[in-house]
């Protein structure tokens, strides 16, 4: 039986942690509980608000499809597209699949060490011990420098090239003992240098030192192999649908 046949069901507490962390990371208004999930006011032209649903309940989806009429509203449903699409009219446009993933931070950090994280990021990352934050800044092979900055419940990590460009970066938002990873990306000109792994390890170390024990993130296809190699596990698929303007194709 393939993974696609064993579709995992999202736990509401994991989805809530993801929602809370995303709100903190993006500086959005707090999430509001609505029937079947949560609503987050985003306030952008391309994303007025998003509705996050832990499951593809056909009755909830049908009610939302009737009630929601403003273009630019987003649905994020923790279910495969095949479970969501039948309940929505053609005015909803589906985006690329995403994946809600989780990992104990200690596990992810130890995997990073085994897979060649530079020495400067290994301090304290031993089984059974609380990881220490990496030296800041840490110099990496190729002359890259990674720096982390913590402000309240947010931690940012950036890797700079020898010319001072931001080559890679990411953010963690802390929600209790859960660290929600967000905006992790590597500039195309600096890929295949292991920077994504370095940024993730630096963020996880900082988050763990601040009391986080569990990591949560939403990955796209291009990041899935990296996260799995670092010990992250699929919690549930995530389907995104966006309400288009009338007449839009």
């Amino acid at each position: 039986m393939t993974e696609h046949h064993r579709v995992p069901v999202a736990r509401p507490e994991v989805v809530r942690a993801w929602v809370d962390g995303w709100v903190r990371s993006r500086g959005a208004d707090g999430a509001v509980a609505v029937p079947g999930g949560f609503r987050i006011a985003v306030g952008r032209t391309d994303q007025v608000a998003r509705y996050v649903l832990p499951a593809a309940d056909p009755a909830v989806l049908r009610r939302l499809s009737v009630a929601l009429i403003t273009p630019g509203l987003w649905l994020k449903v923790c279910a495969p597209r095949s479970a969501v699409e039948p309940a929505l009219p053609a005015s909803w446009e589906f985006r690329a699949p995403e994946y809600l993933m989780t990992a104990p931070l200690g596990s992810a950090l130890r995997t990073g060490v085994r897979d060649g994280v530079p020495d400067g990021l290994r301090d304290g990352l031993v089984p059974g011990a609380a990881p220490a934050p990496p030296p800041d800044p840490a110099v990496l092979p190729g002359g890259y420098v990674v720096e982390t900055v913590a402000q309240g419940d947010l931690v940012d990590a950036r890797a700079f090239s020898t010319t001072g460009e931001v080559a890679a970066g990411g953010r963690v938002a802390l929600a209790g003992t859960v660290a929600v990873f967000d905006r992790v990306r590597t500039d195309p000109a600096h890929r295949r240098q292991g920077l994504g792994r370095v940024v993730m390890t630096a963020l996880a170390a900082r988050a763990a030192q601040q009391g986080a024990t569990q990591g949560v993130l939403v990955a796209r296809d291009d990041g899935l192999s990296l996260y799995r190699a670092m010990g992250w596990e699929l919690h549930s698929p995530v389907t995104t649908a966006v309400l288009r303007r009338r007449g839009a194709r």
Side-chain angles (χ1 to χ4, degrees):
M1 184 178 278
T2 66
E3 182 177 82
H4 293 290
H5 290 110
R6 299 191 304 270
V7 178
V9 177
R11 298 200 308 273
E13 65 272 18
V14 173
V15 178
R16 180 74 212 216
W18 167 39
V19 167
D20 288 344
W22 192 92
V23 166
R24 288 178 169 85
S25 176
R26 304 301 177 104
D29 291 338
V32 177
V34 296
F38 308 95
R39 181 186 187 277
I40 305 169
V42 180
R44 298 202 319 248
T45 302
D46 63 333
Q47 187 175 173
V48 177
R50 62 168 50 189
Y51 288 76
V52 181
L53 310 180
D57 184 322
V60 170
L61 289 168
R62 282 193 291 268
R63 284 198 300 270
L64 285 174
S65 70
V66 172
L68 302 182
I69 60 174
T70 304
L73 292 173
W74 288 45
L75 284 178
K76 293 272 186 178
V77 187
C78 296
R81 177 171 172 170
S82 60
V84 178
E85 191 167 18
L88 297 180
S91 54
W92 289 87
E93 176 184 335
F94 287 86
R95 299 293 173 88
E98 296 177 313
Y99 311 91
L100 181 61
M101 306 186 79
T102 61
L105 290 188
S107 172
L109 289 167
R110 291 193 296 274
T111 302
V113 171
R114 286 199 305 270
D115 292 339
V117 171
D119 289 339
L121 294 177
R122 296 183 182 182
D123 297 348
L125 305 187
V126 295
D136 204 354
V139 180
L140 312 177
Y144 292 100
V145 175
V146 62
E147 296 181 351
T148 57
V149 177
Q151 293 185 328
D153 56 8
L154 298 177
V155 179
D156 290 292
R158 291 188 296 176
F160 296 92
S161 71
T162 55
T163 61
E165 298 175 299
V166 177
R171 165 173 283 185
V172 154
L174 300 172
T177 59
V178 179
V180 179
F181 291 70
D182 189 28
R183 292 177 164 175
V184 177
R185 67 177 300 276
T186 301
D187 185 276
H190 298 278
R191 288 179 180 165
R192 300 190 181 279
Q193 306 293 324
L195 296 179
R197 187 185 300 273
V198 166
V199 165
M200 287 291 294
T201 302
L203 288 171
R206 290 286 181 183
Q209 200 200 21
Q210 293 185 220
T213 59
Q214 184 77 16
V216 174
L217 61 78
V218 172
R220 298 189 178 98
D221 280 327
D222 57 358
L224 199 56
S225 59
L226 168 64
Y227 299 134
R228 279 180 163 155
M230 294 189 71
W232 291 75
E233 295 184 351
L234 176 66
H235 186 74
S236 81
V238 177
T239 296
T240 301
V242 180
L243 185 58
R244 297 177 294 192
R245 296 184 182 278
R246 289 185 179 181
R249 292 181 178 272

